[in-house]
Amino acid sequence: MKPTDDKNPEYFHKVVDCQYACPAHTPVPEYIRLIAEGKYTEAYMINWESNVFPGILGRTCDRPCEPACRRGRVEEEPVAICRLKRVAADNKDDVRQFMPKAPFEKNGKRIALIGGGPASLTVARDLAPLGYEIHLYDEQDAGGGMMRSQIPSFRLPIDVLNEEVDYILDMGIHTQFKTYVSSLQEIIDMGYDAVFVGTGAPRGRDLVIPGRKEADKNIHIGVDWLASVAFEHTHQIGKKVIVLGGGNTAMDCCRTSRRLGGEEVKVVVRSPYAEMKASPWEKEDALHEDILILDNHVPKIFVVEDGKLKGMTFEKVHAVFNEKGKRSLVPTGESEVFIEADDVLVAIGLENTFPWVEKSTGVEFGEWGMPIVDAVTFQSTNKSVFFGGDSAFGPKNVITAVAHGHQAAISINLYLKEKPLTDRPSPFVNLVSQKMGIHEWSYDSEVENDLRYAVPHAAKTATLTDRKMEVELGFDIQTAIKEAHRCLNCDMQTVFVKDRCIECDACMDICPTSCITFTANGEEEDLRTRLKAPSFNLTQDLYVSDTLPTSRVMVKDEDVCLHCGLCAERCPTSAWDMQQFLYKVTKAC
């Protein structure tokens, strides 16, 4: 088997895992270490640099980074990366002194942001310090977009949202709230040098089946209903509620219904429970609040008697997969199921809508009515108009919108400097050798099993009577430190220098997980079986050195490495070193 990197004579572990799993590229182990050391403000600022909304995302993120966490290879659950972001936010000092200070020296360029959600706010955060005059338009009375209108207060308190949105708006952003943009052409005609569209996917899909019109008074589109609750136009709902849909919006609808008078709330979804789009923890929270989830039920009709909604009938189905793995929902042949309801919330998906974008703007649309947007630059067919967040490629999540905002800001900056949008700046990457012997690089490297700590919740009897009472209480400081200690130090990389190795096998002997083996080279399939601990995870590359003087090679299985540094401490010739990897997200500059 060839060495991992033929161009580098040294063995070098390429960083994968959680360093790159998050779309906004937070240097995960770095801020986890700071949390373990009690440096919450520093951890907060690291997150703010890349993720922009640590307190918000620490409560609501879909956690795309956590499945990549290597702790999940040792135990069932990864490090609680998301909830540790909240710990940094909840325990930070006053961070305004660390924020970019307005007013900034102006460069004479004006940019319009349409929509005040996470993508637009990220663009503002990146471009305002560079001297751009930013004008933000949003129909709501404050910034935040869908974070304000669609995430319930029991998940995201309004003061947390306001605080983190205001960090950006206080950079001298010109805000036009309560302003609905009905014409993109009008915005362009106002002489802006560039326009960014971050309007999200604002329209909920409807369900047109028999009885829909007749029962219209008691059928509500989920996202619209959540917004009506958030802005305090809606204060109650019927005692018997059906929520249609299996995503996170449906979970927010059913849990909000419980707080507004719903006593029998049922979520009905056509797919199997395991295939629901809602995050597992969102489903668990719904079940904890006595909400029944019925899967494999396809809606057939809204039942209306004397002009009043009585409930719905459903057809029971089961999933059948063909040879290509494509799923079909096939009727079971059982009798239809009738479920009583006073109100029905339809949360079966979101759609983009752009009636305000005229053909005269030069913005072209493709399949499904989506704008044609470059996947790297986020530039539309009108070179001065950029898209990001849900409005660019359809509904995703907050952290993806943040990532889009960073990249769109880079493109806008390059465009207005008349530079090629493909000449994008590289991220900051660094690899620094750490002093060995006193564990300066490591806050904790004990080899032990340590199950993920549970986040405490407020009492259900209290939270179900107050829709604004936050359910999750967050980790206390001591628990947060224990959770941070579960990190396996993915930013500390083992680096092997072949020419320094005397093949004493000391590293192999001291390794607590038997991840290092000195053996004869061979084909990968054979080599995996001859390691000190056979390697069966084929998704993880083996790292193989060049041939050593005894004709053996050093083979390391990263799948089970704890990054504990014992190999580097034990090595008498410094053939092994621990080097700290740092990645900082690319931003406009």
Side-chain angles (χ1 to χ4, degrees):
M1 189 174 179
K2 292 183 179 180
T4 300
D5 187 350
D6 293 330
K7 297 179 181 179
N8 188 346
E10 299 182 353
Y11 158 74
F12 175 66
H13 167 219
K14 296 179 293 183
V15 176
V16 287
D17 304 317
C18 57
Q19 290 281 358
Y20 296 112
C22 177
H25 300 309
T26 303
V28 173
E30 183 180 359
Y31 81 73
I32 288 178
R33 178 177 299 107
L34 290 170
I35 288 172
E37 294 174 354
K39 299 177 181 178
Y40 303 108
T41 299
E42 293 180 45
Y44 182 89
M45 293 309 300
I46 286 176
N47 275 279
W48 188 84
E49 283 289 325
S50 55
N51 285 348
V52 184
F53 306 106
I56 295 170
L57 287 165
R59 291 166 164 82
T60 66
C61 189
D62 285 349
R63 313 177 192 178
C65 57
E66 290 189 10
C69 175
R70 295 171 65 251
R71 174 59 75 168
R73 301 182 185 184
V74 179
E75 294 158 353
E76 194 169 318
E77 295 287 343
V79 174
I81 297 169
C82 175
R83 294 311 184 244
L84 289 177
K85 293 178 184 176
R86 172 179 174 171
V87 171
D90 288 352
N91 293 280
K92 68 184 184 305
D93 295 321
D94 185 2
V95 298
R96 290 187 181 275
Q97 59 183 314
F98 304 111
M99 298 290 176
K101 301 288 192 302
F104 307 103
E105 183 178 349
K106 297 300 181 182
N107 60 21
K109 302 291 186 179
R110 298 165 63 245
I111 300 170
L113 309 179
I114 304 178
S120 292
L121 289 170
T122 302
V123 173
R125 172 252 178 274
D126 286 359
L127 294 184
L130 300 183
Y132 292 99
E133 183 177 311
I134 308 294
H135 291 232
L136 185 148
Y137 296 84
D138 193 277
E139 63 179 326
Q140 296 180 175
D141 59 3
M146 58 77 61
M147 299 187 296
R148 183 174 300 276
S149 63
Q150 295 175 29
I151 302 180
S153 295
F154 58 81
R155 290 180 56 209
L156 176 59
I158 195 68
D159 58 335
V160 175
L161 175 64
N162 287 339
E163 178 185 42
E164 297 198 328
V165 168
D166 286 348
Y167 286 149
I168 298 170
L169 299 184
D170 288 348
M171 292 182 188
I173 309 303
H174 299 267
T175 58
Q176 283 83 23
F177 291 127
K178 298 183 180 180
T179 302
Y180 177 75
V181 174
S182 59
S183 169
L184 177 60
Q185 187 63 59
E186 287 184 6
I187 296 293
I188 293 173
D189 291 343
M190 293 169 68
Y192 288 106
D193 297 285
V195 177
F196 176 80
V197 179
T199 51
R203 184 171 64 188
R205 291 177 182 167
D206 201 353
L207 179 64
V208 182
I209 57 175
R212 174 64 179 89
K213 291 182 179 180
E214 293 82 351
D216 181 69
K217 181 180 178 181
N218 296 99
I219 300 174
H220 318 279
I221 302 300
V223 291
D224 297 339
W225 184 80
L226 286 172
S228 181
V229 172
F231 297 124
E232 302 193 344
H233 303 309
T234 295
H235 301 278
Q236 62 184 15
I237 198 167
K239 292 183 178 180
K240 296 181 179 180
V241 181
I242 293 174
V243 178
L244 302 175
N248 286 339
T249 299
M251 298 302 102
D252 287 339
C253 285
C254 68
R255 297 181 67 194
T256 302
S257 296
R258 288 285 283 127
R259 288 157 172 79
L260 266 63
E263 296 177 1
E264 296 180 24
V265 180
K266 297 180 175 68
V267 174
V268 186
V269 59
R270 62 176 64 228
S271 64
Y273 179 87
E275 296 181 22
M276 290 173 61
K277 292 182 179 180
S279 304
W281 50 91
E282 297 290 347
K283 294 188 287 185
E284 291 170 7
D285 287 345
L287 293 173
H288 175 69
E289 293 178 355
D290 307 317
I291 295 165
L292 184 63
I293 298 178
L294 300 174
D295 63 352
N296 295 319
H297 281 62
V298 175
K300 301 298 291 183
I301 187 173
F302 293 102
V303 178
V304 181
E305 294 181 5
D306 299 326
K308 185 177 180 181
L309 177 70
K310 292 296 182 180
M312 295 185 67
T313 59
F314 298 86
E315 182 180 45
K316 296 189 71 174
V317 296
H318 68 283
V320 176
F321 298 87
N322 62 20
E323 62 279 0
K324 295 182 179 180
K326 186 177 181 180
R327 187 195 72 185
S328 298
L329 297 176
V330 179
T332 63
E334 300 174 70
S335 300
E336 289 186 341
V337 177
F338 172 73
I339 301 176
E340 289 186 79
D342 300 312
D343 287 282
V344 175
L345 300 177
V346 181
I348 57 175
L350 298 172
E351 295 178 335
N352 292 82
T353 176
F354 297 98
W356 51 278
V357 179
E358 303 94 334
K359 289 184 178 180
S360 62
T361 63
V363 175
E364 298 178 9
F365 291 82
E367 191 177 14
W368 308 112
M370 293 295 292
I372 298 174
V373 178
D374 186 277
V376 175
T377 67
F378 296 89
Q379 188 178 49
S380 73
T381 50
N382 179 326
K383 302 304 181 184
S384 67
V385 178
F386 300 78
F387 285 74
D390 293 353
S391 63
F393 303 111
K396 293 291 183 183
N397 49 42
V398 175
I399 193 59
T400 299
V402 170
H404 289 183
H406 283 313
Q407 294 303 315
I410 292 170
S411 296
I412 292 170
N413 187 46
L414 290 171
Y415 170 75
L416 295 181
K417 289 183 176 179
E418 299 183 351
K419 295 181 179 180
L421 270 58
T422 53
D423 292 348
R424 310 181 75 75
S426 298
F428 175 83
V429 179
N430 202 9
L431 192 66
V432 180
S433 180
Q434 304 298 294
K435 183 177 180 180
M436 300 309 301
I438 59 174
H439 287 287
E440 284 191 0
W441 59 269
S442 176
Y443 57 83
D444 193 337
S445 59
E446 295 181 16
V447 181
E448 61 181 20
N449 293 327
D450 197 0
L451 300 179
R452 179 168 171 149
Y453 291 82
V455 177
H457 285 55
K460 181 169 65 175
T461 53
T463 60
L464 289 182
T465 59
D466 183 355
R467 73 170 182 86
K468 294 184 179 181
M469 179 181 289
E470 189 170 15
V471 174
E472 289 194 5
L473 302 178
F475 288 131
D476 60 38
I477 291 176
Q478 292 304 315
T479 305
I481 291 174
K482 291 177 182 178
E483 180 63 32
H485 281 171
R486 297 179 67 237
C487 176
L488 297 180
N489 306 335
C490 289
D491 60 338
M492 296 307 309
Q493 308 307 319
T494 50
V495 177
F496 179 75
V497 182
K498 174 185 71 73
D499 294 339
R500 295 179 184 173
C501 181
I502 59 175
E503 301 184 67
C504 65
D505 293 353
C507 57
M508 184 168 62
D509 294 338
I510 201 171
C511 179
T513 61
S514 300
C515 71
I516 300 172
T517 303
F518 287 84
T519 185
N521 206 347
E523 295 298 323
E524 180 178 356
E525 183 177 356
D526 168 62
L527 196 58
R528 285 182 178 273
T529 65
R530 292 190 284 108
L531 303 184
K532 195 172 181 182
S535 175
F536 301 115
N537 182 5
L538 302 182
T539 64
Q540 175 67 63
D541 291 339
L542 295 178
Y543 298 99
V544 184
S545 73
D546 282 322
T547 304
L548 296 162
T550 63
S551 297
R552 299 187 300 174
V553 292
M554 185 286 302
V555 185
K556 181 165 177 282
D557 182 8
E558 186 63 29
D559 190 48
V560 292
C561 177
L562 295 175
H563 296 206
C564 63
L566 291 175
C567 56
E569 288 197 10
R570 181 66 181 84
C571 181
T573 63
S574 297
W576 283 103
D577 189 16
M578 298 299 295
Q579 297 188 5
Q580 184 179 30
F581 177 86
L582 179 63
Y583 182 103
K584 289 191 176 181
V585 64
T586 306
K587 292 193 289 291
C589 58

